Amino acid sequence: METKLPKLVRISIIGLGNVGRGVAEVIRRKQEEIKRKYGIYLKIVGVADLPGAVVDENGLSEDAIRKFKSRETTEDMTTLDMIKDVEHEIVVETTPTNVENGEPGLTHIITALESDRHVVTSNKGPLALQYGMLMDLAAKKGKELKFEASVGGAMPIISLINDNLAGNGIISIKGILNGTCNYILTRMREEKLPYKHVLKEAQERGIAETDPSNDVAGRDTAVKLVILANSIFDRNVSYKDVEVSGITGITSEALKLADGAGYVIKLIGEVDGGSSGECLKVAPRLVPKDDPLNVGGTLNVATIKTDLAGDITVIGKGAGPIEAASAVLSDIIGIYM
Amino acid sequence: MKISMDIELTDIPGQLVLALKPVSDLGGNILSVLHQRDKKTPSGRIPVQLTLEIEEQGLDRLVERLKERDVNVVRIGKERLKESMMVLLIGHIVHTDLGETIDSIDSTGFAEVVELSLSMPGVDKKSSASVTLSAIGKEELKEALNILERTVNKKGIMIIPSI
């Protein structure tokens, strides 16, 4: 930074679920550190949830956000009015993923870009359905649309490829992009328990959702793969183009047979640039125990095959409010670096 | 073609070089030599295990030339299928004609099912199997996997290939 005064960056957060609240918390926790290290002062001037938005140009306190979330206070305006009319630089979009039509996130992102605001999102739906259109709009407006949190949670993959691996040709990416499936397969193998039993355990521990079908049928992995295919490989694909099979049919006997031969079974998403056969696939695969893709628990992992750097493997926490917020925060800072 | 060969040399210096020369003369490639100098056969010869690659038509001439040089060839093992991979199958593997599933690979002439372990937890339950496919080359192995995928997909069996 050339000037001594920190640059004020005003932020709105749309969607006060786990990720949105996580973002509010890390901004509060890191405000001073970010000001000192990067010379930018992050201020949350509005938050929005289902009823609408509350705003405060002097910055919303932790208490004000909590009270609004628990409906103790009412909204000041609609979400779209906040995006359009409240002066701020960045819209953080963290509403839940909807792969049917991308809403409400899609409208939020379009409105934000059209109102000349940068967008940082963890929402996979709009990206999986309308990536090309959204990037074109962002480019036309000269604004950033960043989405590191949408793939692999805290695990850096998009900025890793775009920044640190700049100059490399990316040949393929394969990895575990869903922590719930990884947890289930890991536990089935370790405890020699059947799928249904472990699924129930995962639900009790809050690792799997009540309706786990998005995760276990491979759909969540497929959506992330579409984002990688479009953003890293410049392919123009949508969710329907992915060949998907999930983990519901995996038996503990199969895991045992694999184990005896030196393998584990993992739900692997694989995408390439097209030259080696246009791969876009989610399926259970045998992974040698000594392969870097063999990580346990709820971890995510990806091996990026490049033409210069060879294989690069990243491992990290794929889910969790603070972990996802870490990716959102790095996107926010990245806009000003 | 990959060949493993056990030969025996007379116990005088220079015999190993003498035995290996015909391999390169005939365009072959030596992959490994296990020369156990301190071990001797009952007839006082030195056993050597060779692994080499050579064209199939060159093999007879190689054996002839070794004999001319007083090298005993005691065993020749042909390892035609060089590439292998394991896949898992889950489903009603036995009752959907396991024999035909295996035949779909064996009948190709370039690939075979070389190992199969089956786990059958109960009469009505799905079985799981690990299957090792071997083929004469990488491309052929890929093709064998495609054939197996097509065959088991028709039978409603899930296939899990390696990465």
Side-chain angles (χ1 to χ4, degrees), chain A residues 8-288:
Chain A
L8 175 66
V9 175
R10 291 162 296 182
I11 293 168
S12 71
I13 301 171
I14 302 172
L16 289 179
N18 285 332
V19 179
R21 279 177 291 155
V23 172
E25 193 191 322
V26 299
I27 287 178
R28 190 168 53 244
R29 230 198 261 173
K30 295 271 182 179
Q31 207 164 32
E32 283 307 313
E33 190 182 329
I34 290 167
K35 191 162 76 179
R36 203 174 56 241
K37 272 169 110 171
Y38 307 103
I40 50 179
Y41 182 66
L42 303 178
K43 190 199 275 184
I44 301 170
V45 295
V47 295
D49 211 27
L50 278 177
V54 283
V55 300
D56 185 343
E57 62 178 37
N58 296 316
L60 285 163
S61 68
E62 180 179 4
D63 205 40
I65 295 172
R66 188 187 51 77
K67 279 187 174 150
F68 177 61
K69 172 67 190 172
S70 61
R71 309 279 188 269
E72 284 169 53
T73 53
T74 54
E75 72 276 16
D76 296 331
M77 57 180 73
T78 68
T79 301
L80 291 181
D81 282 345
M82 177 191 75
I83 298 174
K84 282 187 279 196
D85 299 336
V86 174
E87 276 299 305
H88 61 299
E89 283 71 36
I90 300 179
V91 172
V92 174
E93 216 292 336
T94 57
T95 61
T97 291
N98 164 353
V99 286
E100 294 302 317
N101 58 19
E103 296 298 354
L106 186 58
T107 300
H108 294 157
I109 294 174
I110 292 171
T111 310
L113 290 171
E114 281 178 341
S115 311
D116 293 307
R117 315 206 191 285
H118 301 295
V119 176
V120 175
T121 186
S122 61
N123 189 339
K124 298 180 279 288
L127 298 165
L129 294 168
Q130 297 284 352
Y131 182 80
M133 182 273 281
L134 291 173
M135 291 318 276
D136 286 350
L137 178 59
K140 198 178 105 197
K141 285 290 189 174
K143 294 292 150 188
E144 301 261 7
L145 168 55
K146 305 193 89 174
F147 45 88
E148 182 69 65
S150 66
V151 182
M155 180 180 83
I157 181 160
I158 290 159
S159 344
L160 177 72
I161 291 171
N162 289 338
D163 302 340
N164 303 77
L165 292 173
N168 274 270
I170 307 300
I171 298 158
S172 68
I173 301 173
K174 63 181 153 198
I176 301 171
L177 301 174
N178 183 283
T180 306
C181 289
N182 198 20
Y183 176 83
I184 292 173
L185 292 174
T186 304
R187 289 287 294 165
M188 282 177 74
R189 169 172 172 259
E190 284 172 353
E191 305 298 325
K192 304 188 173 42
L193 289 169
Y195 168 77
K196 279 187 180 151
H197 190 114
V198 174
L199 173 63
K200 207 159 157 253
E201 177 196 280
Q203 285 169 324
E204 278 163 10
R205 294 193 53 189
I207 290 166
E209 291 174 42
T210 321
D211 175 7
S213 54
N214 254 335
D215 292 324
V216 297
R219 288 200 287 271
D220 175 70
T221 306
V223 169
K224 290 167 178 166
L225 221 48
V226 166
I227 295 173
L228 291 176
N230 291 336
S231 64
I232 304 295
F233 295 102
D234 240 345
R235 288 172 65 174
N236 184 19
V237 294
S238 85
Y239 173 68
K240 289 172 276 301
D241 300 312
V242 191
E243 209 185 309
V244 190
S245 40
I247 63 163
T248 51
I250 307 286
T251 59
S252 29
E253 291 80 27
L255 284 156
K256 203 172 152 193
L257 284 169
D259 191 54
Y263 293 91
V264 293
I265 300 176
K266 299 289 183 189
L267 185 70
I268 300 290
E270 187 176 4
V271 54
D272 65 31
S275 56
S276 49
E278 298 253 324
C279 180
L280 187 66
K281 190 166 85 173
V282 178
R285 305 277 285 273
L286 292 170
V287 174

Side-chain angles (χ1 to χ4, degrees), chain A residues 246 249-251 253-254 257-258 261 263 265 284-288 291 293, chain B residues 86-88 90 117-119 121 126 128-130 158-163:
Chain A
I250 307 286
T251 59
E253 291 80 27
L257 284 169
Y263 293 91
I265 300 176
R285 305 277 285 273
L286 292 170
V287 174
D291 191 284
L293 288 181
Chain B
M86 198 183 95
V87 300
L88 284 185
I90 303 174
S117 337
L118 200 56
S119 174
K126 286 181 176 175
S128 302
S130 68
M158 178 181 192
I159 182 164
I160 306 178
S162 51
I163 54 166

